[in-house]
Amino acid sequence: DQQVKQNSPSLSVQEGRISILNCDYTNSMFDYFLWYKKYPAEGPTFLISISSIKDKNEDGRFTVFLNKSAKHLSLHIVPSQPGDSAVYFCAASPRGREKLTFGTGTRLTIIP
Amino acid sequence: NAGVTQTPKFQVLKTGQSMTLQCAQDMNHNSMYWYRQDPGMGLRLIYYSASEGTTDKGEVPNGYNVSRLNKREFSLRLESAAPSQTSVYFCASSPTTSGEPNSYEQYFGPGTRLTVT
């Protein structure tokens, strides 16, 4: 049972445009959500997070939106740059926050 | 500050052989984790250690054992390797200090690519 779902395995976006990556979750106990970025042959690196008390969090070009009623979050990257080409993982944890459940990832390709 | 280091980077085992994957962090983090990543499966938690001296099972613990040797080091052992354990293994750590913002983000090592034939 996949509790965190990233339904788009891949996404291609023109450089300079907005990239929107989506994530859905089923476990209503999740209250903390994170996005990680992964380049080939490297470990994932933390990008941005949001707790369930917020519906938006921004960090530079990256914004995460959380819709609790729909159990949906999205990552917006504006403007998209070639260095953003990577696999993006959504992750979630319940209160207590020690254990993360990851989605299957979305491969983002930025087209110059 | 090396962050999270893992050894070895690559390993090939025959079915039935044993080995230990090593992980160390120099960030004075309380919690450490072992994940495996398989194509189309994302990262799945094998075991974790919330603090020195404690370990708990994750989503896929069968066939693995762990040791939290001290606050810095967390090893993963395969006693009798099977082809189903062919994967990329990631170690991670997090500060996990109650009440501090951003203390639950996990920091990952570069991974160990294991092939079992």
Side-chain angles (χ1 to χ4, degrees), chain A residues 1-2 32-34 36 38 41-46 48-50 87 89 93 96-105, chain B residues 31 33 35 37 40-45 48 50 57-59 90 94 96 102-111 113:
Chain A
D1 175 35
Q2 194 73 28
Y32 189 59
F33 304 89
L34 307 90
Y36 281 82
K38 186 182 180 305
E42 294 184 12
T45 54
F46 170 73
I48 192 168
S49 63
I50 189 167
V87 177
F89 290 99
S93 71
R97 303 183 177 186
E98 287 172 354
K99 292 169 65 172
L100 295 181
T101 299
F102 282 82
T104 52
Chain B
S31 301
Y33 312 82
Y35 292 89
Q37 185 193 8
M41 301 289 287
L43 290 102
R44 292 183 292 169
L45 183 65
Y48 72 103
K57 295 178 181 178
E59 183 185 350
F90 290 101
S94 68
T96 324
N102 301 333
S103 77
Y104 293 92
E105 282 85 26
Q106 294 182 17
Y107 297 79
F108 284 79
R113 186 174 294 274

Side-chain angles (χ1 to χ4, degrees), chain A residues 6-12 21 86-88 104-109, chain B residues 40:
Chain A
Q6 294 177 257
N7 292 319
S8 299
S10 63
L11 176 68
S12 293
L21 295 94
V87 177
Y88 289 78
T104 52
T106 296
R107 181 177 302 278
L108 175 66
T109 302

Side-chain angles (χ1 to χ4, degrees), chain A:
Chain A
D1 175 35
Q2 194 73 28
Q3 296 186 65
V4 178
K5 301 177 186 178
Q6 294 177 257
N7 292 319
S8 299
S10 63
L11 176 68
S12 293
V13 173
Q14 208 78 32
E15 182 179 357
R17 299 284 186 104
I18 183 171
S19 295
I20 300 176
L21 295 94
N22 293 304
C23 179
D24 297 294
Y25 61 96
T26 57
N27 189 340
S28 56
M29 299 300 291
F30 288 149
D31 79 338
Y32 189 59
F33 304 89
L34 307 90
W35 285 94
Y36 281 82
K37 176 179 178 177
K38 186 182 180 305
Y39 292 120
E42 294 184 12
T45 54
F46 170 73
L47 202 54
I48 192 168
S49 63
I50 189 167
S51 85
S52 60
I53 61 172
K54 293 185 174 183
D55 54 19
K56 177 182 172 181
N57 189 27
E58 279 182 88
D59 184 0
R61 296 186 297 115
F62 302 93
T63 303
V64 57
F65 295 92
L66 175 62
N67 183 334
K68 290 185 288 292
S69 60
K71 292 193 177 66
H72 177 84
L73 65 155
S74 61
L75 174 68
H76 293 210
I77 306 173
V78 183
S80 299
Q81 298 174 354
D84 296 331
S85 293
V87 177
Y88 289 78
F89 290 99
C90 168
S93 71
R95 204 171 301 276
R97 303 183 177 186
E98 287 172 354
K99 292 169 65 172
L100 295 181
T101 299
F102 282 82
T104 52
T106 296
R107 181 177 302 278
L108 175 66
T109 302
I110 304 303
I111 304 162

Side-chain angles (χ1 to χ4, degrees), chain B residues 6 8-15 17-21 34 36-38 46 63-64 76-90 111-117:
Chain B
Q6 293 183 235
K9 284 189 167 38
F10 302 94
Q11 184 71 49
V12 178
L13 291 178
K14 291 188 186 333
T15 297
Q17 287 185 320
S18 62
M19 80 160 294
T20 300
L21 281 64
W34 276 105
R36 59 178 289 174
Q37 185 193 8
D38 302 295
I46 304 171
Y64 305 95
L76 178 72
R77 182 158 178 85
L78 287 71
E79 290 291 351
S80 178
S84 61
Q85 294 178 305
T86 293
S87 188
V88 181
Y89 291 85
F90 290 101
T112 295
R113 186 174 294 274
L114 175 67
T115 302
V116 183
T117 61

